[in-house]
Amino acid sequence: MFSLLLMLLSTRLIVSDGLSGTWKLLLRDSGVSAMHIQLLNNGKVIIFDRQDFGQSRIMLPTWECDPATVPNTTDCSAHSVEYAIVSNTVRPLRVETDLWCSSGFVDASGVLNQIGGDKNGTRVVRTMAPCDGGCDWVENRDALLAGRWYASVQKLPSGEGIVVGGRGQFNYEFYPKTTFPKLYSLPFLKQTKDKWSDNNLYPFTFLNTDGNLFIFANNRAILLDYKTNTVVKTYPTIPGGDPRSYPSTGSAVLLPLRDLEAATVTAGVLVCGGAPNGSYAKSTKKKFVPALDTCARMTITDPNPNWVIEKMPFARCMGDMVLLPHGDVLIINGAGRGTAGWERADTPVNNPVIYKPDEATGSRFETQNPATIARMYHSSAILLPDGRVLVAGSNPHPHYKFTNVQFPTEVSLDTFLPSYLNEHMNNLRPEIYLPATNSQGGYGQQLQVQFSTRAAADLTKVNVTMVAPSFASHSFSMNQRLLVLTMGTIQVVGTNTYEVSVSIPKSTILAPPGYYMIFVVHLDVPSVGIFVKIS
């Protein structure tokens, strides 16, 4: 695995003096624009946009769809691809219903469940299994009780997904309907809807450490006992009152979970960026208001929580937030003015920012080297097992437009490499020997992790983290979760080789069942991640 990482880093990188982080172009043309993106445990990334965009840049095989023999109205191009990380190649996939502005989660078996969309896809659930062969999308029509367009999904301790909201839907339901078969009203979503611009879509949902569901929409949040459909806590409105969810479109993460053996595990939420009140209406007249330049942070497990406001280096809407293996947060992509929507923003924010949650307030932001490609509306970003961040998408147009527009449709794939992937960090970078990829671990059990590092290790500076891959779309990475595992004493087992026993969380509330990437982190430098199935 270490040699794989060196190979991935061996080509020329884009850098600037004085700033951290580097960029590498992977593919100039992946075939589709990455509106939605999900990493699977087989090292493949599923990418898709919408089924009615017009012809993409990659065609389905003729045995699936032959333009010479089908009606002229049929589009035989693919609107989904499978990207193989190691070979840096794509394979076209076929979708038959419209999955524009949909959502998704990976179930306990590793299968991607893709939820809803628009028009003929609004009540469809599509599945994609991780495989090494020719698997493709399987579509389950009328699988949902309500149309889910701009909804969010959170995986629960049971392994089921709770599907929250969507345009015109002030309710939630579950998929699959193993335990909860009905539709459940959620008045909070109606209360947070603005008259002319919604601002309650793609709500930020996080499974709290007490088992309840944190739901943020517009500028405020609740804690929902979804089993009894009871609001158990109402949180304060973010100071200033400006909206942060779609189409004002900030982003949010659940901060790393630590001290997992404690009676009460502390959980914090960070919400960054967005657009001021009235921005969407003004954007219809091509008046683009500067985006918000603040983050709001709150410990949601506190008895009397309050938001703390921090100022970002750049104003940003439509940004993506990615948890890095060592616990920092990457804020990337987006625009400095306007809102989400067709042609409703300009001023791309090309500089990513690292947010360091453990530093003192006022010292948490670090500006990174800029991208050379604008990633605007319908862009995305996810963490890869080798620690890079895959950055893709951008299509602020109703259809594919590659010329004669300010921001062309992007079908390219980039990676951003945080500073921990710099070559001079190689001596610190651990390599995991055990467990093998796709091993299994049980709740409350010990997992033996064996690793090496070529540096004389300061064993007090080693951590093991567990990261759930996320479904990224519209500036929100659903089910993104990072846990810092409880460790035993590190043992020396050979030259520069060590072993440590780590505790898998006892509760499915802390870690819903499924596949996680395990990283060994030495002095903030992570190993390549190994997939482990927690069940």
Side-chain angles (χ1 to χ4, degrees):
M1 282 168 287
F2 190 73
S3 60
L4 168 63
L5 183 60
L6 291 178
M7 178 188 72
L8 292 170
L9 303 182
S10 61
T11 57
R12 185 177 67 86
L13 304 174
I14 303 168
V15 297
S16 298
D17 293 336
L19 299 178
S20 299
T22 52
W23 289 86
K24 178 188 175 186
L25 180 66
L26 296 178
L27 288 176
R28 184 77 57 187
D29 188 349
S30 69
V32 302
S33 187
M35 185 189 302
H36 315 83
I37 189 167
Q38 171 76 57
L39 169 68
L40 300 181
N41 66 283
N42 62 345
K44 307 291 178 61
V45 178
I46 306 301
I47 300 172
F48 51 100
D49 48 31
R50 58 182 283 190
Q51 186 256 3
D52 63 344
F53 252 12
Q55 186 165 303
S56 73
R57 290 291 187 93
I58 186 169
M59 301 299 291
L60 292 164
T62 54
W63 60 266
E64 279 198 56
C65 186
D66 186 352
T69 60
V70 298
N72 292 333
T73 55
T74 299
D75 178 5
C76 283
S77 64
H79 292 277
S80 177
V81 297
E82 176 191 75
Y83 170 67
I85 298 171
V86 174
S87 63
N88 195 37
T89 57
V90 295
R91 178 174 71 88
L93 303 172
R94 182 171 184 170
V95 287
E96 297 180 351
T97 54
D98 192 353
L99 29 64
W100 178 26
C101 301
S102 52
S103 52
F105 75 104
V106 174
D107 66 22
S109 69
V111 173
L112 171 59
N113 292 258
Q114 193 278 318
I115 307 289
D118 189 25
K119 298 177 183 174
N120 66 353
T122 187
R123 293 177 59 193
V124 178
V125 174
R126 307 159 194 85
T127 58
M128 170 62 69
C131 73
D132 295 325
C135 56
D136 212 327
W137 287 105
V138 176
E139 306 205 15
N140 182 8
R141 309 288 179 104
D142 296 324
L144 302 171
L145 297 175
R148 299 297 173 184
W149 192 32
Y150 299 95
S152 295
V153 183
Q154 171 64 53
K155 185 162 67 171
L156 299 173
S158 63
E160 299 160 285
I162 182 170
V163 189
V164 181
R167 179 153 282 166
Q169 299 296 342
F170 311 118
N171 51 58
Y172 63 93
E173 64 180 290
F174 299 82
Y175 188 85
K177 297 189 168 18
T178 309
T179 310
F180 305 97
K182 300 178 182 179
L183 196 68
Y184 303 88
S185 176
L186 188 57
F188 171 73
L189 293 177
K190 182 173 287 187
Q191 296 160 10
T192 52
K193 181 185 184 299
D194 289 341
K195 185 174 182 179
W196 302 113
S197 54
D198 290 330
N199 284 326
N200 67 341
L201 302 177
Y202 278 124
F204 304 141
T205 56
F206 301 109
L207 180 64
N208 193 17
T209 56
D210 64 0
N212 294 313
L213 188 69
F214 177 89
I215 305 174
F216 179 101
N218 199 315
N219 54 19
R220 52 199 184 275
I222 59 171
L223 193 61
L224 177 73
D225 181 342
Y226 58 86
K227 295 179 180 179
T228 63
N229 194 18
T230 304
V231 175
V232 296
K233 181 177 286 189
T234 299
Y235 293 95
T237 300
I238 283 184
D242 286 314
R244 307 277 181 157
S245 46
Y246 187 93
S248 289
T249 307
S251 188
V253 291
L254 180 71
L255 292 170
L257 301 177
R258 305 175 185 273
D259 300 322
L260 303 181
E261 306 298 320
T264 300
V265 177
T266 299
V269 166
L270 181 70
V271 180
C272 291
N277 279 311
S279 294
Y280 186 84
K282 292 176 181 177
S283 72
T284 63
K285 301 175 182 178
K286 298 301 178 184
K287 182 178 180 181
F288 301 140
V289 177
L292 300 175
D293 64 354
T294 56
C295 292
R297 178 171 172 171
M298 181 170 63
T299 302
I300 64 174
T301 48
D302 276 357
N304 297 295
N306 284 295
W307 294 102
V308 175
I309 300 298
E310 302 179 67
K311 188 176 176 65
M312 297 189 291
F314 306 97
R316 190 186 309 252
C317 64
M318 298 185 293
D320 289 278
M321 296 173 69
V322 181
L323 290 170
L324 301 177
H326 61 328
D328 287 355
V329 182
L330 177 69
I331 307 172
I332 198 167
N333 299 336
R337 302 194 314 162
T339 72
W342 305 131
E343 320 287 351
R344 295 187 186 273
D346 63 9
T347 317
V349 184
N350 290 331
N351 287 89
V353 169
I354 297 284
Y355 178 86
K356 299 177 178 293
D358 297 330
E359 297 294 329
T361 303
S363 304
R364 290 175 174 159
F365 293 100
E366 182 181 282
T367 300
Q368 306 292 292
N369 276 308
T372 58
I373 297 173
R375 301 288 183 180
M376 304 289 283
Y377 186 45
H378 288 153
S379 57
S380 56
I382 59 167
L383 177 69
L384 297 181
D386 53 42
R388 296 176 300 161
V389 175
L390 181 64
V391 183
S394 189
N395 188 11
H397 318 291
H399 300 282
Y400 289 109
K401 291 186 179 180
F402 298 101
T403 58
N404 301 319
V405 287
Q406 184 179 11
F407 302 111
T409 298
E410 275 298 335
V411 293
S412 61
L413 300 182
D414 261 337
T415 49
F416 175 76
L417 291 77
S419 59
Y420 56 63
L421 290 174
N422 290 351
E423 187 175 350
H424 71 268
M425 297 291 191
N426 286 347
N427 280 342
L428 294 176
R429 187 165 294 112
E431 181 178 3
I432 297 177
Y433 296 134
L434 292 174
T437 191
N438 290 324
S439 295
Q440 296 197 34
Y443 288 98
Q445 295 181 357
Q446 298 297 300
L447 184 69
Q448 300 302 316
V449 179
Q450 191 173 110
F451 64 97
S452 68
T453 176
R454 290 187 283 177
D458 179 352
L459 301 183
T460 66
K461 303 296 184 181
V462 172
N463 289 312
V464 179
T465 62
M466 191 168 89
V467 182
S470 56
F471 180 94
S473 184
H474 290 75
S475 300
F476 181 47
S477 290
M478 303 173 199
N479 299 292
Q480 187 171 210
R481 200 173 188 87
L482 186 151
L483 301 96
V484 181
L485 299 182
T486 302
M487 296 171 33
T489 302
I490 298 176
Q491 306 291 331
V492 179
V493 295
T495 304
N496 295 328
T497 306
Y498 308 90
E499 186 172 273
V500 63
S501 178
V502 298
S503 299
I504 296 173
K506 298 176 183 178
S507 169
T508 56
I509 292 173
L510 294 179
Y515 286 91
Y516 291 79
M517 293 181 284
I518 302 291
F519 295 90
V520 175
V521 182
H522 177 212
L523 290 166
D524 286 338
V525 178
S527 67
V528 172
I530 300 297
F531 273 103
V532 173
K533 185 179 182 182
I534 306 300
S535 60

